[in-house]
Amino acid sequence: MAGKLSFSLVSPEREVFSGLVDQVDAPGVEGDFGVLPNHAPFMTALREGVVTVIDGSSRRLFEVHGGFADVTPAGLTILAEKASELTAA
């Protein structure tokens, strides 16, 4: 699908999220960053924080504890040491 980013969030236990989205914001060790479709490739380590997945007006939040983010022409993969979805209070 044109205009969408293929995103996968994986922890050692399971695949936490996989889908086509508009944007992903993540906590890099050198600062927070956002990834949109057709982003330039890069790889970075993650710090503890929140990954925000944006698709239209929908936002899903995932807490991550370390890991790596890998942006390729195929999309974004986050390999987290620990990851879980945050729920609204």
Side-chain angles (χ1 to χ4, degrees), residues 31-86:
D32 293 351
F33 62 92
V35 178
L36 297 166
N38 302 311
H39 196 287
F42 76 97
M43 179 180 262
T44 189
L46 298 177
R47 62 177 165 73
E48 183 175 327
V50 175
V51 171
T52 303
V53 179
I54 302 166
D55 192 29
S57 62
S58 171
R59 292 184 191 282
R60 291 177 69 178
L61 305 176
F62 298 88
E63 184 176 19
V64 296
H65 297 269
F68 293 90
D70 186 23
V71 179
T72 68
L76 167 63
T77 301
I78 291 181
L79 305 171
E81 293 172 15
K82 185 177 177 184
S84 61
E85 187 164 10
L86 297 173

Side-chain angles (χ1 to χ4, degrees), residues 5-10 15-19 24 75-79:
L5 171 70
S6 176
F7 171 60
S8 181
L9 173 58
V10 180
E15 184 173 60
V16 179
F17 179 90
S18 180
V24 177
L76 167 63
T77 301
I78 291 181
L79 305 171

